[in-house]
Amino acid sequence: VGQEQSLVKIPEAVGTMEQRSKAVKALFSRLHLQNYKGQQNVFDAFFNTDQETEQRKQSHVHPMDVQMAVFHCSDSFLKQNIISKLSQCQYALPLLVPDLLKMNIECPMWTFRQIRKSWKQTDDSNLVTMKSVPICKAETPMVAFLRLGSLSSSKSQLMSSLINERHNTFFHRNCPGSTKSRYLIDGLAEIAWYCPSGKPNDAFSDCIAFCNLHGDALSCETQRDILIEKSSVNVILLPSLEKGGKSSEILSDLSKSPKPLICLIADNDSPAVEVKEGTRKYKMGLKDKSLSEVSEEMKAIIKKILSSQYNPFKLESMAKARGIRVDEDDEACQRGKSAALQIQNLLEEKDISKIKDTFLQCQGKLWKKWCENNKGLYRLHGQIEKEKCQTEKELKQIREKQCDVASSKLMNLFLKNLQSLHSHEKKYFLKWTEILLDDLSTDDLSGILQAYDQKWTEVLNLKKKDDKGEKQNQTKKQNVEKQRAELEELSAKLQSATFGLEHMFREMGQIYEAHESVNRTTGELNWSKYPELAAELMISGHPMELMDGDAGHVPLTWITRLLDAVIRKLKDKRIFVLSVLGIQSSGKSTMLNAMFGLQFAVSAGRCTRGAFMQLVKVSAEIQKDFKFDYVLVVDTEGLRAPELAENASLHHDNELATFVIGLGNLTLINIFGENPADMQDILQIVVQAFMRMKEVNLSPSCVFVHQNVTDIAAGERNMEGKRRLQEKLDKMAQLAAKEEVSNADCFSDIIAFDVQTDVQYFAQLWEGSPPMAPPNPGYSESIQELKNIILTKASKSEGLTLSQFRSRISDLWNALLNEHFVFSFKNTQEIAVYRKLEVQYGKWTWALRCALLNIQHQLHNRIEIGKLDKVDHGFLVKEMTTTREDVQKAMKTYFDDDEDKEMLVQWRGRFVSKIKEFHDEQVAEVKRKLEEVIQQRNACKELDDKKADECKKWGKYKNIGNTLPYEEDQQIRSFIAEVERQSIEKIKTKPVASRGYTSTYLHEVTYTFKNHFTVNLLLYVCDIAGNQLLNSHEEFKTNNDPLTYLESKKEHHYSIFVSYCEGNSSAAVLGELICNKLKDSTVLAVYNKTAMELADEMMHSYPPLSGNKANLEKHILKSLAEKEDFDSYINYLRRPRSHMESFITEEVEKYILTEHKDKALSVLKKNVKRIEKLVSDAVETAIENVKTQGGDIDTWLEEFSSSLEDELAFSTNCGQNFGDINDFDFFKEELDKGIKSIFEEMSSLTIDSMEQFSERPDQLLINHKCKTCWTQCPFCGAVCTNTDEDHSPDDHMVTFHRPSGINGAHVRGTVELCVDFCSTLVTSNQRFYPNSSSKKSVLYKVYKTAGGEYAEWSITPDNSTLAYWKWFVCQFQKDLEVHHEKKFKGNGQIPSGWRRFTKEDAIKSLEKL
């Protein structure tokens, strides 16, 4: 190696990308690299600069120095990737690399392992044979070029002309950007292969390797000797032919060798001649000859030499060469290879087409059968639940069989290595396994593909054949069918022979799914750890299968657990999902790999099947411009796959398009070529998929990529193409609108789309015909432009969190399993976010309600003591300002900062309006109540001593109605329950207890109906209302009857009289009077405050009452199951609101009186002390004010009352006739004695029943919790679980539906109760009648088309997996049959599978909701 080169220090390959980047920059700095702009080819990818403002300096770095600097600073996997890309671009590859740090020579064998070369060999009889071989194993002739001394002509340029006259395979001095000075390439040996295409104009008839030693071979002895030893033909370039010197010695040795030799002499103009006949030693002068002349003569000589026997060259033989180091000798690489070879040894003697059936049985027929049966759950007919139970049983049996065959030698070996190898070794293991498996299957695949292609061509030719006559047509049809059958056989064989690393990961997923579903352990399989293993690989950048292309199914359990594991490792990072869609073999994977450096399979015969996902980390340098941490790329199999039948293909394509478009934040629609039929097919599929996304409120964006366009430079033609594309899209939108029942007139009505910016035209990938065609530079430019567009769109996107992506997969796939996607789609993530919002909404409204209740109490006290006789609305609003602003601030924080803020934004405006409406309604309600209190107080002054008339007691009329059809019976029962509820609520608002009964109250709750029903209903309502009025009026008489009042005050006045008789002073008597008045009001205040605090505590921390309505429903059902009381269930089913109110009361009583009694007493004691301090402070303050400001006892009473009025009512009228009190210190002493006595007595207060509270905590919670939606499912009667009373425009929804037979629904014209769940029926082909008088039935699948209440409900399929109601039906079968006077038989027979559920299973199933 030259002395000049030793001055440059090369950093060793370092670990992280950041370290490597720094190493490269430091190296470039030492190489005087300033603002270098290289040739416009692949090397731009290795180095670029953004400093465009400075002038280009004279000091440059040789482009090959740039390449080798990057190479030296890369780890082995990046090196392999770089070399693979160079090979694809038809550039020469490093074969012998001088390590300038360790002063040795390395053969980077590892970097060649991924490269496979394909060519068509032509023999002497012109027979063309296709070959596809891993380049490391290819045995070809190798022509080595060596330069001895200094030459004016370029050896590398000559070699490039031999391989490809239009492409510089070897970089040479005449290439743009080349410089005289170079530091890193002298001593570098590069290799390239010429691969013929089997055409007459091929330069050579077989594959040939060309090896080029850069620099003077005289100073690179080791490299020179190795190349001479390994070559088939040696080509020596000399400045002149002279005897003597080192060059002469080398030439002498070569001339004595039996190997062919070609000597090119720079200062000689002699023609190409064999120096001695039969020796295969040639010499040729270069002087005054053009490059093309020399090239043609060289080709002729090489052809002649290689036509006879030669020494073949095999790249793997370089590992045995002396004096060099092979990169594969690295310890980690060897361990990975050793582990992979164990797998190869296990498989190499096996028939490749039988490997999957032998070793990967979980994913074969069993998995496909499972997928078929699972899809059958969504295509039920007949006895739905019975059929479903049978299918579920079969699914479980299949899973059991999968577990039985899970422990194969291959998978045990593969998984053992995955678990035991270290991270770096694992990378080598996976790459080696991938390489070795490809080697195993390539030959078989190649032959099958050729046969498939030939057979497909025959089928097409038969179809085109124009046969006249019926007989000829019949014969043609039979031939086509026969050829198609043979094609299907080849297709199955192709699928069996396709075997790679992805199939082993698929098996891994199926082993996990099978074992988790039956909770079983097989041998030593540690299946629970599989998601963790796969997550590590996915995070490291390994593609993971999202949809199994062979089975056409998403392994939902496996994908969910895999993403769960990724979330545990990365946290819930944000991702931008980029998906790609296009017809088969249209360059989708190639485009993604070029754009993001991914690893999706692109070779012929290995087309993507299904869908794969790969994580790409956003670099720290650009992360500030984006709102996400990763890009997740989804690559899919092509649409219109020829191996699928026409109908199956259309369904599969629609399914796949809907799935990947729904997943992606942005979808690339890849259109290949300019075939109108191909365009129309893909556009129709894509537009319909976007239409579906619009219907389910998903808003992905798209970019159309039109590849392989012949002339992308013609602007006018591009504009015309865009116009035609826009017209096609609009037409497809109108067609899709008809099919999806939408009103879209153009594509822009479906998705935000700008044809000017969202359509990109790509040049064709290759310049010329493969296999030697280099890539088109225009393609790379198009890739960069598209990448910029994607990043621009991505910068405006919030993306998704990993958990949202996980839920999106589940939602889309579950909806696709149903035939009606839009009706079936359930956005579980959105529902979960909405449920969380409901909980927050409950907290915000509760805060407003509590604040207003406190204000109401304060103003009520003032009214009671006569200080307020008018309630001002503005005053209430002003008093609420602080709380309202706090709530608004909390709302803003929640909507702005919550992790799901981008999803919450759709409800923000509505909930802001609802909070305002709630505030205004509550303020108006408080004003109304307070004004009523004022009216009551005024009315009390006018009450006379008339006795109230007694209310008549009504008989019982609850059993109204006759035997009616189920639908009418349900409607009447619901109606009566609603009338009852409204009547009670209306009576409760009447001031009977304070003002007495008047007959107008009863008239206000009567309704106008017709016929006999009127009498029964009125008597029923009046019975309920009468009892309520009677109780309230009794309370009124107790409070306001003069005799009762006098009797109640008798003891009080007697005590005053006794006090005076005993000679007590006025101060003592007044103190006693005040204490007597305080006693009741302080107790009331303590209990009121305690009620509020306990209700608030339960609202925030007691599970049954702290969540939304769905949570409350879950606890109600749990309570019912624990009680196992049929009558309670019937009450819940018939009167859901009443039952919820009773449940809240029970839970509050349980919380306060039993489970948390100590906490409740603690709150009570705390409030006693607080009121005691309040009263004591009020006494002290009033005394001080009277002493300092002057005044009499009336002044003191006024001060004292004012200090208490916000907490308790104290009237000053007790101070009359006590004007003689002027010793306020003595008065205080007497008062303190009484107050102390009061609170000593109050310290023993307890909570023994809810009746002790004037404002019951359960009633506070009932008022808050039960103001919600009470609409019932038109099928099963389940109550809408939306917390908001008016949640329009959102549909009614239920977290858990139930069999409609529970409510008495039965098959029309029979006594057979229904056992079907409406959430299962909506996936079936069953029909229903919208009402009892309907003559026209409606498909459950399109139940919304029935209109009315059906159109207001969203019933998403759930396969009725909830065990709760199944257990209930079995447990109370006889009770239900007696109650409804019908039977569970015939079509309503209870499936046997239901009887295995226990009460514990039922309760446990609620926890999943």
Side-chain angles (χ1 to χ4, degrees):
V1 184
Q3 292 182 351
E4 183 182 23
Q5 297 167 356
S6 66
L7 298 175
V8 181
K9 298 293 183 182
I10 305 294
E12 292 188 74
V14 286
T16 68
M17 188 62 71
E18 183 179 0
Q19 290 172 321
R20 278 184 235 124
S21 176
K22 290 179 179 177
V24 172
K25 289 178 181 176
L27 178 62
F28 287 170
S29 177
R30 290 196 294 273
L31 292 174
H32 313 293
L33 180 63
Q34 297 180 18
N35 297 327
Y36 168 74
K37 293 179 68 177
Q39 62 177 6
Q40 297 301 312
N41 57 27
V42 71
F43 295 112
D44 290 341
F46 292 118
F47 178 76
N48 194 10
T49 179
D50 295 328
Q51 300 176 1
E52 301 289 346
T53 55
E54 296 182 19
Q55 286 187 344
R56 188 175 177 183
K57 301 293 194 324
Q58 293 301 314
S59 178
H60 304 304
V61 172
H62 196 285
M64 288 296 293
D65 282 340
V66 177
Q67 175 185 315
M68 295 314 299
V70 174
F71 185 84
H72 281 297
C73 296
S74 302
D75 72 1
S76 57
F77 293 97
L78 182 57
K79 284 180 181 177
Q80 189 181 69
N81 198 20
I82 291 170
I83 299 309
S84 296
K85 299 297 182 186
L86 285 173
S87 175
Q88 288 177 16
C89 296
Q90 303 297 341
Y91 286 105
L93 313 177
L95 176 65
L96 296 173
V97 182
D99 187 329
L100 304 184
L101 185 68
K102 298 179 180 178
M103 302 303 291
N104 60 18
I105 297 166
E106 180 182 82
C107 175
M109 185 72 65
W110 170 251
T111 65
F112 291 90
R113 288 295 179 182
Q114 278 194 142
I115 301 171
R116 175 178 294 276
K117 292 289 184 180
S118 299
W119 68 90
K120 292 183 178 180
Q121 176 185 348
T122 307
D123 62 14
D124 295 338
S125 61
N126 289 328
L127 178 64
V128 177
T129 306
M130 175 74 181
K131 286 193 175 183
S132 180
V133 186
I135 202 61
C136 290
K137 297 182 180 299
E139 291 191 5
T140 66
M142 191 262 273
V143 181
F145 281 71
L146 308 172
R147 169 170 63 83
L148 302 177
S150 179
L151 294 175
S152 59
S153 57
S154 171
K155 166 172 53 72
S156 299
Q157 188 174 12
L158 171 60
M159 294 181 70
S160 294
S161 69
L162 292 174
I163 296 174
N164 192 330
E165 294 177 356
R166 295 181 296 175
H167 176 63
N168 294 315
T169 305
F170 294 91
F171 191 88
H172 54 82
R173 68 185 64 172
N174 297 319
C175 287
S178 181
T179 63
K180 289 183 178 179
S181 59
R182 59 190 192 187
Y183 299 90
L184 303 180
I185 60 172
D186 281 350
L188 169 71
E190 288 188 301
I191 190 169
W193 284 265
Y194 174 82
C195 297
S197 60
K199 296 179 180 178
N201 60 350
D202 287 339
F204 304 100
S205 61
D206 202 353
C207 181
I208 301 176
F210 289 86
C211 196
N212 178 22
L213 177 60
H214 288 279
D216 190 346
L218 294 174
S219 60
C220 305
E221 184 175 348
T222 303
Q223 297 95 311
R224 182 190 70 219
D225 291 346
I226 291 171
L227 293 183
I228 290 173
E229 177 190 348
K230 298 294 182 183
S231 65
S232 307
V233 180
N234 289 308
V235 180
I236 305 296
L237 279 78
L238 296 164
S240 61
L241 195 59
E242 297 176 356
K243 288 190 176 183
K246 185 67 173 175
S247 297
S248 179
E249 291 178 16
I250 295 170
L251 193 60
S252 173
D253 291 339
L254 289 172
S255 64
K256 295 173 185 177
S257 168
K259 285 188 179 179
L261 172 67
I262 303 173
C263 187
L264 303 178
I265 307 158
D267 65 350
N268 193 306
D269 59 359
S270 65
V273 294
E274 188 174 11
V275 294
K276 188 175 180 182
E277 190 174 351
T279 61
R280 296 192 297 175
K281 302 288 192 293
Y282 293 83
K283 71 174 182 178
M284 181 173 65
L286 301 178
K287 186 176 180 181
D288 297 331
K289 291 184 180 179
S290 68
L291 179 64
S292 60
E293 286 181 88
V294 175
S295 177
E296 289 303 317
E297 290 187 39
M298 283 289 294
K299 287 177 185 178
I301 295 172
I302 293 171
K303 281 182 182 179
K304 185 176 180 181
I305 290 173
L306 295 180
S307 63
S308 58
Q309 189 176 5
Y310 59 84
N311 293 329
F313 168 74
K314 189 176 181 181
L315 194 57
E316 282 185 332
S317 68
M318 294 294 289
K320 299 176 182 178
R322 288 178 296 176
I324 64 171
R325 175 185 176 276
V326 179
D327 60 351
E328 288 182 357
D329 292 338
D330 176 79
E331 186 178 355
C333 182
Q334 284 300 309
R335 285 183 181 175
K337 182 178 182 180
S338 176
L341 282 171
Q342 293 175 16
I343 291 176
Q344 186 192 38
N345 294 337
L346 181 66
L347 301 178
E348 62 184 353
E349 300 299 326
K350 304 290 188 298
D351 183 345
I352 190 70
S353 64
K354 296 179 180 177
I355 286 178
K356 287 193 284 190
D357 289 339
T358 305
F359 294 107
L360 307 179
Q361 295 184 48
C362 286
Q363 67 182 269
K365 294 177 182 178
L366 289 174
W367 168 231
K368 290 177 183 176
K369 180 64 176 174
W370 189 95
C371 295
E372 183 182 328
N373 286 8
N374 187 57
K375 287 184 177 180
L377 286 173
Y378 301 84
R379 310 287 189 273
L380 299 170
H381 50 82
Q383 292 180 269
I384 302 297
E385 290 301 325
K386 186 176 181 181
E387 185 181 334
K388 187 166 71 67
C389 280
Q390 180 60 33
T391 303
E392 287 172 346
K393 183 180 178 181
E394 291 172 2
L395 289 173
K396 188 174 181 181
Q397 289 172 348
I398 293 171
R399 288 302 194 192
E400 291 282 3
K401 290 178 181 177
Q402 283 183 308
C403 291
D404 293 338
V405 298
S407 188
S408 71
K409 289 183 181 179
L410 174 62
M411 288 308 297
N412 286 343
L413 198 57
F414 178 70
L415 292 165
K416 178 185 174 183
N417 286 317
L418 270 188
Q419 292 172 317
S420 62
L421 292 173
H422 294 301
S423 176
H424 202 51
E425 295 168 349
K426 195 183 297 182
K427 282 186 178 181
Y428 276 112
F429 165 65
L430 289 171
K431 185 59 72 174
W432 271 115
T433 303
E434 184 180 350
I435 291 166
L436 295 174
L437 290 181
D438 281 348
D439 290 350
L440 277 176
S441 60
T442 297
D443 291 339
D444 290 297
L445 273 177
S446 181
I448 296 170
L449 280 169
Q450 286 188 54
Y452 186 92
D453 184 52
Q454 183 179 350
K455 188 61 64 178
W456 180 244
T457 304
E458 290 175 12
V459 171
L460 292 177
N461 290 336
L462 269 174
K463 283 184 174 182
K464 292 176 183 177
K465 192 175 179 182
D466 186 16
D467 291 330
K468 296 180 180 179
E470 185 177 341
K471 188 175 180 180
Q472 288 85 347
N473 283 332
Q474 187 66 27
T475 303
K476 173 184 172 182
K477 187 176 180 180
Q478 290 173 352
N479 287 336
V480 169
E481 290 301 319
K482 182 181 177 182
Q483 297 283 13
R484 273 190 175 278
E486 293 176 8
L487 199 62
E488 288 297 322
E489 288 179 15
L490 283 171
S491 180
K493 196 171 181 182
L494 178 63
Q495 190 171 326
S496 297
T498 305
F499 178 60
L501 201 57
E502 67 271 19
H503 295 95
M504 300 176 78
F505 281 114
R506 183 188 295 172
E507 187 76 3
M508 184 174 167
Q510 279 312 297
I511 293 172
Y512 179 86
E513 284 204 332
H515 284 79
E516 190 193 65
S517 65
V518 297
N519 195 22
R520 175 174 156 183
T521 302
T522 301
E524 299 180 0
L525 289 178
N526 192 7
W527 57 267
S528 61
K529 298 292 183 184
Y530 292 179
E532 298 288 331
L533 291 173
E536 289 175 10
L537 297 175
M538 184 173 175
I539 292 168
S540 68
H542 200 282
M544 284 292 158
E545 189 174 57
L546 182 58
M547 175 190 275
D548 182 342
D550 292 331
H553 208 281
V554 174
L556 207 52
T557 303
W558 168 246
I559 294 298
T560 300
R561 299 295 178 270
L562 167 60
L563 291 174
D564 285 342
V566 172
I567 292 169
R568 284 195 295 273
K569 292 177 181 295
L570 295 180
K571 308 302 180 189
D572 200 7
K573 296 290 188 184
R574 299 200 75 84
I575 58 174
F576 179 82
V577 184
L578 175 69
S579 54
V580 63
L581 200 65
I583 60 173
Q584 194 176 75
S585 301
S586 60
K588 302 182 302 300
S589 300
T590 303
M591 178 174 67
L592 291 176
N593 291 353
M595 200 180 313
F596 295 108
L598 305 182
Q599 303 175 34
F600 294 124
V602 295
S603 59
R606 305 284 296 192
C607 287
T608 308
R609 293 296 305 272
F612 285 80
M613 57 182 174
Q614 186 171 343
L615 272 177
V616 181
K617 186 170 177 57
V618 177
S619 65
E621 290 84 358
I622 65 170
Q623 197 165 11
K624 63 181 184 298
D625 300 323
F626 301 96
K627 299 174 185 175
F628 45 84
D629 309 286
Y630 290 85
V631 173
L632 189 140
V633 183
V634 178
D635 186 25
T636 62
E637 70 176 272
L639 305 176
R640 299 180 68 240
E643 60 265 27
L644 293 173
E646 190 170 340
N647 291 335
S649 175
L650 182 60
H651 177 75
H652 177 74
D653 289 351
N654 284 333
E655 198 172 75
L656 182 67
T658 304
F659 185 62
V660 299
I661 285 174
L663 286 179
N665 296 112
L666 173 66
T667 303
L668 301 179
I669 312 298
N670 196 48
I671 301 171
F672 190 77
E674 300 177 80
N675 186 331
D678 288 347
M679 282 184 63
Q680 178 138 337
D681 285 349
I682 187 173
L683 291 182
Q684 186 170 355
I685 293 167
V686 165
V687 171
Q688 188 163 0
F690 277 115
M691 178 78 74
R692 289 173 166 182
M693 295 308 107
K694 177 181 171 64
E695 292 295 317
V696 296
N697 297 320
L698 297 181
S699 305
S701 56
C702 72
V703 171
F704 284 86
V705 180
H706 205 146
Q707 288 207 50
N708 210 37
V709 178
T710 52
D711 183 13
I712 65 166
E716 296 80 6
R717 181 169 179 183
N718 282 356
M719 290 302 297
E720 174 64 16
K722 288 180 178 180
R723 183 187 65 78
R724 285 189 284 108
L725 177 62
Q726 180 76 68
E727 289 175 354
K728 282 190 174 78
L729 287 171
D730 291 344
K731 184 178 180 181
M732 293 301 113
Q734 292 165 10
L735 292 172
K738 291 179 181 177
E739 188 163 337
E740 297 291 336
V741 193
S742 177
N743 57 358
D745 292 324
C746 60
F747 188 59
S748 298
D749 290 341
I750 301 172
I751 184 175
F753 177 74
D754 183 352
V755 74
Q756 298 299 328
T757 58
D758 295 337
V759 178
Q760 290 296 304
Y761 287 91
F762 266 42
Q764 57 188 8
L765 174 58
W766 304 112
E767 278 192 332
S769 301
M772 292 305 296
N776 185 349
Y779 183 85
S780 298
E781 292 168 8
S782 299
I783 285 285
Q784 188 58 46
E785 288 175 12
L786 177 60
K787 188 174 182 179
N788 292 338
I789 290 170
I790 292 170
L791 293 178
T792 300
K793 286 181 176 287
S795 65
K796 301 171 185 176
S797 171
E798 297 283 346
L800 297 168
T801 62
L802 281 165
S803 60
Q804 288 171 344
F805 177 68
R806 176 192 61 201
S807 297
R808 182 73 62 82
I809 292 171
S810 176
D811 297 340
L812 286 165
W813 183 244
N814 284 328
L816 280 167
L817 288 173
N818 292 279
E819 292 179 350
H820 292 269
F821 174 83
V822 174
F823 283 156
S824 306
F825 181 79
K826 179 170 69 173
N827 192 329
T828 53
Q829 184 72 26
E830 191 171 284
I831 291 170
V833 172
Y834 187 80
R835 294 304 185 209
K836 281 170 56 183
L837 177 58
E838 283 185 323
V839 174
Q840 293 299 321
Y841 177 72
K843 292 178 180 178
W844 298 329
T845 54
W846 177 253
L848 293 172
R849 187 185 292 276
C850 290
L852 273 165
L853 279 173
N854 286 329
I855 294 170
Q856 182 181 337
H857 288 156
Q858 294 169 11
L859 297 184
H860 187 277
N861 291 338
R862 295 179 192 179
I863 293 169
E864 287 294 318
I865 62 177
K867 288 191 174 183
L868 186 68
D869 57 6
K870 184 181 179 182
V871 181
D872 181 58
H873 181 271
F875 174 79
L876 292 174
V877 173
K878 184 179 178 183
E879 288 293 301
M880 281 295 295
T881 300
T882 301
T883 305
R884 186 176 67 251
E885 288 177 351
D886 287 345
V887 168
Q888 288 172 345
K889 184 178 179 182
M891 288 181 69
K892 186 177 186 304
T893 301
Y894 185 75
F895 280 108
D896 288 346
D897 299 340
D898 189 81
E899 61 182 359
D900 298 304
K901 59 187 177 182
E902 68 281 355
M903 197 174 290
L904 286 166
V905 71
Q906 61 183 302
W907 301 300
R908 183 170 191 160
R910 193 201 313 171
F911 274 80
V912 168
S913 299
K914 284 187 177 296
I915 286 291
K916 184 179 184 306
E917 290 170 8
F918 180 85
H919 170 270
D920 294 345
E921 287 173 4
Q922 292 300 305
V923 167
E925 180 67 12
V926 168
K927 184 176 184 295
R928 184 191 65 76
K929 288 181 178 179
L930 291 174
E931 286 175 343
E932 194 172 86
V933 172
I934 292 172
Q935 291 174 6
Q936 291 171 11
R937 191 172 185 281
N938 293 335
C940 285
K941 295 176 182 178
E942 303 172 0
L943 283 176
D944 53 27
D945 54 355
K946 291 182 180 180
K947 294 182 179 180
D949 296 330
E950 291 189 9
C951 297
K952 293 183 179 180
K953 295 183 179 179
W954 299 84
K956 302 297 178 183
Y957 295 93
K958 293 188 179 180
N959 188 19
I960 62 174
N962 303 308
T963 304
L964 297 169
Y966 168 73
E967 293 84 359
E968 293 182 8
D969 181 63
Q970 288 297 105
Q971 290 171 2
I972 290 173
R973 288 181 181 278
S974 177
F975 172 73
I976 291 171
E978 182 63 18
V979 169
E980 177 184 346
R981 185 188 66 78
Q982 290 185 13
S983 300
I984 292 174
E985 286 191 357
K986 193 169 289 187
I987 287 298
K988 284 181 179 179
T989 64
K990 302 304 174 186
V992 182
S994 56
R995 296 172 60 181
Y997 168 75
T998 174
S999 60
T1000 58
Y1001 296 158
L1002 200 54
H1003 288 297
E1004 289 183 34
V1005 297
T1006 60
Y1007 300 79
T1008 302
F1009 302 104
K1010 296 179 180 181
N1011 303 328
H1012 179 66
F1013 182 76
T1014 304
V1015 177
N1016 285 332
L1017 182 59
L1018 284 176
L1019 289 174
Y1020 177 55
V1021 169
C1022 289
D1023 174 52
I1024 299 165
N1027 287 330
Q1028 181 72 32
L1029 290 169
L1030 184 62
N1031 293 334
S1032 298
H1033 191 65
E1034 286 298 328
E1035 184 182 349
F1036 165 76
K1037 286 201 299 180
T1038 301
N1039 294 336
N1040 297 287
D1041 183 71
L1043 290 176
T1044 307
Y1045 178 75
L1046 284 174
E1047 188 66 32
S1048 68
K1049 295 296 181 181
K1050 186 176 181 179
E1051 188 176 343
H1052 169 67
H1053 287 291
Y1054 176 72
S1055 66
I1056 295 174
F1057 173 73
V1058 170
S1059 184
Y1060 271 116
C1061 290
E1062 290 176 349
N1064 289 333
S1065 65
S1066 296
V1069 174
L1070 180 59
E1072 188 177 351
L1073 282 173
I1074 290 172
C1075 288
N1076 285 336
K1077 288 181 70 68
L1078 279 175
K1079 186 175 181 180
D1080 291 338
S1081 59
T1082 51
V1083 170
L1084 182 66
V1086 165
Y1087 275 108
N1088 281 347
K1089 187 66 176 174
T1090 301
M1092 283 291 298
E1093 291 185 13
L1094 289 175
D1096 187 67
E1097 174 71 20
M1098 287 183 280
M1099 180 73 187
H1100 287 91
S1101 62
Y1102 189 45
L1105 303 175
S1106 60
N1108 54 17
K1109 185 180 178 183
N1111 175 69
L1112 186 54
E1113 280 283 327
K1114 181 173 73 175
H1115 282 87
I1116 289 173
L1117 291 175
K1118 182 180 178 182
S1119 171
L1120 286 167
E1122 288 169 346
K1123 291 178 182 176
E1124 282 194 73
D1125 178 57
F1126 181 70
D1127 291 335
S1128 296
Y1129 270 109
I1130 291 300
N1131 184 58
Y1132 166 76
L1133 296 168
R1134 297 295 190 209
R1135 297 177 179 83
R1137 180 168 186 156
S1138 172
H1139 189 88
M1140 182 178 283
E1141 292 176 356
S1142 300
F1143 176 78
I1144 292 173
T1145 298
E1146 286 177 14
E1147 290 300 313
V1148 171
E1149 288 179 350
K1150 183 167 66 175
Y1151 183 92
I1152 294 175
L1153 303 180
T1154 56
E1155 291 183 354
H1156 297 85
K1157 188 169 185 176
D1158 291 342
K1159 180 185 284 188
L1161 284 174
S1162 174
V1163 173
L1164 184 72
K1165 302 292 185 189
K1166 181 195 72 174
N1167 285 319
V1168 168
K1169 290 182 180 179
R1170 191 181 64 82
I1171 294 294
E1172 181 181 8
K1173 185 176 186 307
L1174 175 71
V1175 172
S1176 299
D1177 290 347
V1179 171
E1180 188 72 36
T1181 302
I1183 294 289
E1184 288 298 319
N1185 287 344
V1186 169
K1187 283 183 177 181
T1188 56
Q1189 299 175 14
D1192 54 11
I1193 193 64
D1194 291 334
T1195 307
W1196 183 91
L1197 286 167
E1198 191 65 37
E1199 290 281 347
F1200 181 67
S1201 178
S1202 297
S1203 298
L1204 297 176
E1205 64 184 21
D1206 285 347
E1207 296 288 343
L1208 51 88
F1210 179 79
S1211 176
T1212 60
N1213 58 12
C1214 63
Q1216 297 171 0
N1217 303 318
F1218 288 96
D1220 59 331
I1221 298 175
N1222 50 30
D1223 186 351
F1224 286 101
D1225 289 330
F1226 175 72
F1227 173 63
K1228 181 178 182 299
E1229 288 177 10
E1230 293 296 321
L1231 198 55
D1232 286 343
K1233 290 177 187 176
I1235 292 172
K1236 184 178 180 182
S1237 174
I1238 291 171
F1239 285 101
E1240 282 178 354
E1241 186 178 341
M1242 286 181 65
S1243 65
S1244 61
L1245 286 177
T1246 60
I1247 304 176
D1248 298 319
S1249 74
M1250 292 295 103
E1251 305 304 325
Q1252 291 174 267
F1253 297 98
S1254 62
E1255 281 193 349
R1256 295 166 54 121
D1258 57 326
Q1259 193 58 49
L1260 291 172
L1261 289 167
I1262 286 170
N1263 292 341
H1264 187 72
K1265 289 283 186 181
C1266 294
K1267 188 176 174 60
T1268 180
C1269 182
W1270 290 101
T1271 305
Q1272 292 181 272
C1273 173
F1275 294 114
C1276 69
V1279 176
C1280 174
T1281 50
N1282 203 304
T1283 302
D1284 191 9
E1285 187 173 23
D1286 177 19
H1287 50 82
S1288 177
D1290 292 340
D1291 286 343
H1292 299 296
M1293 291 184 68
V1294 172
T1295 313
F1296 23 75
H1297 286 272
R1298 56 203 186 208
S1300 54
I1302 290 172
N1303 282 339
H1306 56 281
V1307 180
R1308 184 183 274 199
T1310 73
V1311 292
E1312 298 171 0
L1313 289 167
C1314 297
V1315 293
D1316 298 329
F1317 286 75
C1318 46
S1319 50
T1320 303
L1321 286 168
V1322 294
T1323 69
S1324 72
N1325 294 314
Q1326 300 276 31
R1327 306 181 76 88
F1328 71 96
Y1329 293 96
N1331 55 64
S1332 59
S1333 61
S1334 298
K1335 294 183 179 179
K1336 185 178 180 181
S1337 61
V1338 178
L1339 267 173
Y1340 274 102
K1341 286 183 178 178
V1342 289
Y1343 66 90
K1344 280 179 176 281
T1345 60
E1349 59 184 342
Y1350 296 97
E1352 297 172 355
W1353 274 84
S1354 175
I1355 305 173
T1356 50
D1358 62 6
N1359 270 335
S1360 59
T1361 54
L1362 190 70
Y1364 186 90
W1365 289 111
K1366 298 175 183 178
W1367 165 81
F1368 169 77
V1369 169
C1370 296
Q1371 182 70 14
F1372 296 103
Q1373 177 182 351
K1374 292 182 180 178
D1375 298 286
L1376 287 166
E1377 289 176 339
V1378 170
H1379 182 78
H1380 295 300
E1381 298 180 355
K1382 295 177 178 61
K1383 295 287 185 180
F1384 286 105
K1385 66 177 185 177
N1387 289 324
Q1389 184 178 353
I1390 298 173
S1392 58
W1394 288 19
R1395 301 194 182 277
R1396 74 175 189 272
F1397 294 116
T1398 64
K1399 181 169 73 174
E1400 289 70 27
D1401 293 331
I1403 293 173
K1404 188 178 179 181
S1405 70
L1406 295 173
E1407 300 303 320
K1408 299 177 183 177
L1409 301 172

